[in-house]
Amino acid sequence: MGIELTYRLPFKRLQKLGRTMGRRAYSGVWWARWIFVGGYGAALLALSSHGNAIALWLADAGLAVSADGLFLALMASFLIGLILLRRFSVRSYKARADYDQQIRLVEEDEGLRIATDHIEYFLKWSGITQMLVERDGVVVSHGNLFFLIPDTAFASPEQRLRFVQGAWDRMSDNARDISARFMRPVLEGGARA
């Protein structure tokens, strides 16, 4: 027989957990961000306090660049660094999980079962906190977990509408209040939002 535990996690603890897990799970990304920000800050500080001296020193070395030119070069390198840091982050995230897995969604009396070969979520109807319509599908959420069900997963627009109406009818009043402005066009006219 396995272990059965009951516990609570305060929001402040979850916030701290999010920060520490981000730092531990993606330490390379975390360090790269801080090194990038620190290096940019140091370069900006040096340029703002000694820009003319740096320009003179570069001119003596054979590079005729003004303090304004150095600032523009620093801004360009900052933008290039942001792009490279973003690519590094995305590559790190993709290395940890297979984001192209087949997803199965099963609508049950108690809620929605969303599963892949490696993980399974069960969202009770009362646990759905919001429903939205995106340009390419329907989104259901529980807190900060968002699940996109693409329009292509439905056999027809009518099946999509039945799913939306069924989920809407089973959600809590609070979730309907939060979702109403996003879902009203779909529910009233059956049209795409």
Side-chain angles (χ1 to χ4, degrees), residues 8-9 43 54 58 72 75 89 109 114 117 125 141 150 178 185:
R8 294 177 192 255
L9 286 172
I54 294 170
L58 288 173
L72 291 174
M75 292 306 295
S89 299
D109 292 337
I114 302 165
D117 291 339
W125 294 116
S141 76
I178 293 170

Side-chain angles (χ1 to χ4, degrees), residues 31-46 78:
W31 280 108
R33 284 182 182 151
W34 279 109
I35 290 169
F36 178 72
V37 168
Y40 178 72
L44 192 58
L45 183 63
F78 178 73

Side-chain angles (χ1 to χ4, degrees), residues 33-103:
R33 284 182 182 151
W34 279 109
I35 290 169
F36 178 72
V37 168
Y40 178 72
L44 192 58
L45 183 63
L47 188 58
S48 66
S49 61
H50 304 294
N52 290 331
I54 294 170
L56 288 173
W57 179 73
L58 288 173
D60 289 343
L63 294 171
V65 179
S66 68
D68 291 339
L70 288 173
F71 179 74
L72 291 174
L74 183 61
M75 292 306 295
S77 65
F78 178 73
L79 293 174
I80 291 168
L82 282 178
I83 292 167
L84 293 175
L85 187 57
R86 169 88 173 122
R87 287 182 182 172
F88 175 61
S89 299
V90 168
R91 198 169 44 251
S92 296
Y93 301 150
K94 284 184 175 183
R96 289 181 66 98
D98 179 7
Y99 291 97
D100 294 323
Q101 289 186 32
Q102 185 78 23
I103 300 168

